[in-house]
Amino acid sequence: ARLPGIYRWDDASNNEFMATDNKPSRVYLIEDVLTTGNSIMRAVNALRDMGIGVGHAFALVDRGIGAIQRLRQNEVDVVWATEVRAHK
């Protein structure tokens, strides 16, 4: 059985979003690695365009290249598990 909500799938040619019959009013996003925030902001904007709010964004890793700041500037609460920084 499919769960109601929004599903994202990655394809070599593009990223697409699909709404099920039971459109939620709010969703949570899960990302593996945050870098610039471009990918997750595309998801946020697509969801907002469909009238769906984004509750929080969760990520396993933040690479420290600006994604956290970008999400916060766009009013997305974000939580991440760990940070990766370049050794100098």
Side-chain angles (χ1 to χ4, degrees):
R2 289 181 58 171
L3 297 174
I6 300 297
Y7 297 88
R8 175 179 181 213
W9 67 92
D10 289 292
D11 181 43
S13 60
N14 61 10
N15 291 328
E16 296 184 18
F17 297 87
M18 175 182 75
T20 65
D21 293 337
N22 300 319
K23 185 172 102 173
S25 60
R26 188 173 199 78
V27 297
Y28 297 96
L29 300 178
I30 300 172
E31 182 73 284
D32 54 355
V33 178
L34 292 172
T35 303
T36 62
N38 287 337
S39 296
I40 199 162
M41 279 309 304
R42 281 196 306 271
V44 168
N45 291 331
L47 290 163
R48 287 178 175 169
D49 287 348
M50 290 187 280
I52 300 170
V54 175
H56 282 80
F58 299 95
L60 295 176
V61 178
D62 172 41
R63 293 186 59 205
I65 302 178
I68 300 297
Q69 295 80 5
R70 186 171 181 194
L71 288 165
R72 288 179 175 163
Q73 287 171 351
N74 285 278
E75 300 177 359
V76 176
D77 293 323
V78 60
V79 177
W80 63 100
T82 190
E83 297 175 344
V84 175
R85 302 281 186 235
H87 292 280
K88 296 183 181 188

